[in-house]
Amino acid sequence: MFKSLRTKILAGFLFVIVVVGAIGAWAVVNLSDIQNSTSDLLQNRFEILHAINTLDTSATHLRSTATRVLLTPDDPAALAGFLDAEQSSTEALSHISTGTGPLSRDPTLYRSLYQIAHLTTLIRNELHFQLISATSIDTIRNPEVRAGQQAVRNEIFVTEIDPLFDSLKSRINLVQAGYLLSLGTLSTISQDEGRRIRVEVIALGTVVLILCIVLSIRFSNVIVRPIVELTAKTKRITAGELNQLVIPRTNDEVGRLGEQFNAMAEKLAEFEELNLKKILEEKAISESIVQSMDDALLLIDRFGTVLSVNRSAQELFELRNVEGRNCLEIARGKPALESLCVAALKGNWKDRNRSEVVEYDRRGDRLFFTRDIIPIQSGEAPGTVAFLLVLHDVTQAHELDRMRSDFVGMVSHELRTPLTAIRMSVDLLGERTLGPLSDVQQQFVQAIREESERLLRIVNDLMDLAKIESGKFEVKPSNVALHPFFEHLLLPFSAPAQEAGIQLVTELDPKVPSVYSDPDRLKQVFVNLISNAMRYTPREGTITVGVVPAKEQPGFACFYVRDTGGGIPAEFVPRIFQRFAIRSKDAKAGTGLGLAIAKEIVQAHGGTIQVESEVGKGSEFSFTIPMSERSENGQSNGITTGDQNPPIFVAAT
């Protein structure tokens, strides 16, 4: 009958509304009947009671006026008052007569009212007769006879009429008391009727309420049962059980929802099957790729248990059946792998460790590796759930770097001898011992001298680079007083700066009187930075060289070289300290080794070097050097004390 869930719900609500409305209407109709009947009865009785009270008042007035007329028959005002009282009593008696119809069901009150009407009529007749007698007495001329007749009339009033007034008064009081009692009885009857209706409404409402509750429970079960079933099936599908179907029991929206649920479950099962095949295929492809990689890969969970290992790692470290075992156990005796496992589990792996080259001896073969740890996150659980340990074989590249360094060192060393001979020959020519030189010859000699010096600087940079790469770069620190250091440092630059129209400014903070550094290497850094600044600063520019305490590194001094040149392009700033990084291809550009060597020197002292530049406004190079031989935490900065000042070696990178 009801094919829509909405129709079912509306039908249920309409049923409840109709039943409640019917009960309410029935109660309102009954209460209205009681109210109307009670109101009519009360109104009638109040009218009769008012008429009785009026009759009581008029009877009393009639009694008094009649007495006055009998006593003073010659007073016309007394006669007029009597007639008014008689008229009032007549009207009150008429009201009582017309209102006694509804009281026929109360014989006592009806009989009492009849007696009151009878007594009133009797009194009126007697009084009217006596008044007529009084008129006839007035025609008698004889005073004695007239007095006798008057005395007889008074005696009749006192003995006959006045007791009738007393009887009427008692009847009226009795009727008034009866009326008040009937009003109370009527109120009690109305209350009983109202109580009866209330009890009937409560009983009927209770029955209807129980019926509505039973129907609501049954109706809600009919609606909710398929929804609960759908919810349970949905939870099972969420848990991975895709073969879930529901049986549609209705033709409404819930039934259609069940049909759509079944269609969805079938589609999900098909997709799951397809996805499973795809996942298995992708897993096979991934495993094939991992197994074919030359890098050694080891996958461990956050507790160190080995989850997977590829063929390269098995061959490199001779691992067999290691899945499920602890990585520290299988890495024992293999320092390159053991340190990697420890770093992963302790979480102390840093970016600089990725560039570190480690050596591993495998059956007499020296192999070199770079290592990395890749944390694996999970979308469901917070934090790292696994680590991928990677060892990349760089043996061939390491050998090539060593051969290149050896070749550069050998070539640089071999070039220094002819360069020294060329410089000596140029110096001899400049002394004119072989005779004077023409202006053209003098220019050629000067050009040879400048180019040989430039070539010698390049050779020295290459030799320093070879020493750095071989780990033989020496730094011999000592306490360096900065004031005389800067005087000797800037002296060679004074004449070239003056000739180029550049102003050299020194800013020395008195809080930094000295530093603990290798003075020659420190001078090499400054020479490189100041030379670059003079190379790119135009005339009337300024180069500022200074030192202040380092804000971010307590116990370190911050040196800076600031110029007002053209600045460095933003795209070149990140790689300016790389080797062979050349800013431009103009004549001012060098070999690209000076800043790289300066960075190695600063890092050998335990400091850092950085640059800030804006095109068109100049550049500022700054670096930090320790002010004492020990760091702020009391540990050595890698610089030993003593008179010998043992050298520091820069590690190969």
Side-chain angles (χ1 to χ4, degrees), residues 299-313:
L299 181 64
I300 62 174
D301 62 12
R302 57 181 177 176
F303 304 107
T305 303
V306 178
L307 302 178
S308 178
V309 57
N310 72 339
R311 187 181 299 107
S312 297

Side-chain angles (χ1 to χ4, degrees), residues 347-640:
N348 56 1
W349 186 256
K350 300 179 180 179
D351 290 339
R352 60 182 179 84
N353 298 123
R354 292 183 172 88
S355 59
E356 181 183 1
V357 178
V358 296
E359 182 180 353
Y360 179 66
D361 188 1
R362 185 184 64 175
R363 296 189 297 272
D365 296 334
R366 294 180 61 193
L367 303 178
F368 296 90
F369 294 93
T370 57
R371 302 173 299 168
D372 195 7
I373 298 176
I374 302 175
I376 299 175
Q377 309 290 334
S378 174
E380 300 177 355
T384 302
V385 297
F387 299 95
L388 181 63
L389 311 183
V390 183
L391 291 96
H392 179 59
D393 190 355
V394 294
T395 303
Q396 186 176 1
H398 186 272
E399 291 296 329
L400 291 175
D401 285 342
R402 185 183 60 80
M403 292 172 62
R404 179 178 56 83
S405 299
D406 293 344
F407 175 76
V408 170
M410 180 188 67
V411 171
S412 300
H413 181 73
E414 293 298 328
L415 286 176
R416 291 189 67 175
T417 301
L419 283 175
T420 303
I422 293 172
R423 289 187 63 190
M424 290 178 62
S425 300
V426 171
D427 291 339
L428 290 176
L429 290 175
E431 292 178 359
R432 299 183 178 181
T433 55
L434 300 179
L437 300 176
S438 63
D439 293 339
V440 177
Q441 292 173 339
Q442 187 68 33
Q443 292 177 2
F444 287 150
V445 170
Q446 182 63 27
I448 295 172
R449 179 183 291 109
E450 292 176 357
E451 293 301 325
S452 62
E453 289 178 354
R454 180 171 178 269
L455 186 57
L456 184 60
R457 287 196 300 271
I458 295 174
V459 170
N460 289 334
D461 288 343
L462 290 174
M463 292 188 68
D464 288 340
L465 180 62
K467 290 179 181 179
I468 291 173
E469 293 179 344
S470 63
K472 298 178 180 179
F473 189 72
E474 297 183 2
V475 175
K476 299 179 180 180
S478 63
N479 289 320
V480 179
L482 295 182
H483 193 274
F485 173 79
F486 275 101
E487 288 183 353
H488 290 85
L489 173 66
L490 299 179
L491 185 59
F493 294 99
S494 300
Q498 186 175 4
E499 182 180 353
I502 299 173
Q503 183 181 4
L504 284 176
V505 179
T506 306
E507 296 178 349
L508 302 181
D509 194 322
K511 296 180 181 179
V512 189
S514 63
V515 293
Y516 192 70
S517 172
D518 187 329
D520 295 332
R521 297 303 182 184
L522 184 60
K523 182 178 180 181
Q524 184 178 355
V525 175
F526 270 110
V527 168
N528 186 280
L529 297 179
I530 296 173
S531 299
N532 288 341
M534 292 186 64
R535 188 178 299 128
Y536 293 98
T537 302
R539 295 187 67 84
E540 299 182 359
T542 302
I543 298 176
T544 304
V545 182
V547 60
V548 292
K551 295 181 180 180
E552 299 181 357
Q553 286 182 278
F556 279 74
C558 180
F559 294 91
Y560 57 88
V561 176
R562 185 186 310 122
D563 64 65
T564 58
I568 305 172
E571 65 273 9
F572 185 72
V573 171
R575 54 190 179 89
I576 194 170
F577 293 106
Q578 296 178 2
R579 300 170 188 176
F580 303 105
I582 302 176
R583 186 187 311 185
S584 62
K585 296 182 179 181
D586 56 13
K588 296 181 179 181
T591 60
L593 293 175
L595 291 178
I597 294 173
K599 179 182 178 181
E600 297 292 344
I601 293 174
V602 172
Q603 290 181 346
H605 285 82
T608 58
I609 186 171
Q610 53 274 336
V611 61
E612 294 181 3
S613 181
E614 185 175 353
V615 176
K617 294 186 178 180
S619 306
E620 179 179 335
F621 287 84
S622 60
F623 60 94
T624 55
I625 296 294
M627 290 190 293
S628 62
E629 56 188 286
R630 303 184 69 84
S631 64
E632 68 275 6
N633 58 5
Q635 299 297 324
S636 173
N637 282 321
I639 303 174
T640 58

